[in-house]
Amino acid sequence: MFYNKLQEQLIRVKLDKQIAYYVKLASFDNENIILDTLASKLLTQNCILFIDGTGVKDFYFAEIVNKIKQLCSQFFGTLIIKQRADIVLLSEADGILLDKDSITPNEAQSLLGETTIVGAIGNSEDEHISFRIIDKKITSNFIGKDIGVIELKP
């Protein structure tokens, strides 16, 4: 019982951020620009980073996510990867962001473990994405709130 409450509290702390950035890796020219941009955001704000590797090669995606995870660990950022459970496992990211074409939240939770944050994309509006964190046991319950996500561009 105490362990479950501690896990829930840890997830709440990781999500209690003022701002979140959605980063499409394919829109950046090179790795240094990505890392410098993210480091500057993490230095000034306690934020969540949603990383989208669509359109980039798997090896590069895994490599850059590991570097971003190091930045997040150093500056207390929260790292969430879009759709790729394998990259979440390899990088030990904080969570996964699912959409309608992904695995189900329950499948993700059982694959990635109970301490992994599992989220789902809702409706898109302009540059903001509606995002809710799905409770690890009952997917119809939500913890946290909708998070306004700003797309980070180079």
Side-chain angles (χ1 to χ4, degrees), residues 104-137:
T104 68
N106 285 337
E107 290 170 331
Q109 200 74 73
S110 63
L111 180 67
L112 299 170
E114 288 192 15
T115 59
T116 302
I117 299 164
V118 177
I121 296 176
N123 299 325
S124 292
E125 300 171 0
D126 300 323
E127 74 274 7
H128 294 285
I129 297 170
S130 173
F131 180 81
R132 285 188 180 265
I133 303 304
I134 298 171
D135 185 273
K136 61 186 173 296
K137 292 199 166 60

Side-chain angles (χ1 to χ4, degrees), residues 8-97:
E8 183 177 318
Q9 198 64 11
L10 177 62
I11 289 172
R12 287 181 191 275
V13 166
K14 286 182 179 182
L15 295 171
D16 189 24
K17 312 288 182 184
Q18 297 302 312
I19 195 160
Y21 293 100
Y22 186 84
V23 183
K24 291 183 181 178
L25 293 179
S27 66
F28 287 82
D29 291 337
N30 69 55
E31 181 180 303
N32 290 334
I33 293 172
I34 296 167
L35 296 174
D36 288 346
T37 302
L38 295 180
S40 71
K41 297 298 180 190
L42 288 165
L43 271 170
T44 59
Q45 304 162 353
N46 194 0
C47 58
I48 299 172
L49 300 177
F50 296 102
I51 308 297
D52 182 350
T54 305
V56 299
K57 295 184 181 201
D58 289 345
F59 180 78
Y60 174 72
F61 188 28
E63 185 179 322
I64 192 75
V65 164
N66 278 322
K67 291 177 182 178
I68 294 169
K69 176 60 180 172
Q70 289 174 7
L71 284 174
C72 286
S73 295
Q74 186 176 359
F75 297 109
F76 307 105
T78 300
L79 178 61
I80 298 180
I81 307 299
K82 183 178 179 193
Q83 295 183 319
R84 296 288 305 270
D86 56 337
I87 301 295
V88 173
L89 284 170
L90 286 171
S91 66
E92 298 179 0
D94 298 301
I96 188 166
L97 177 61

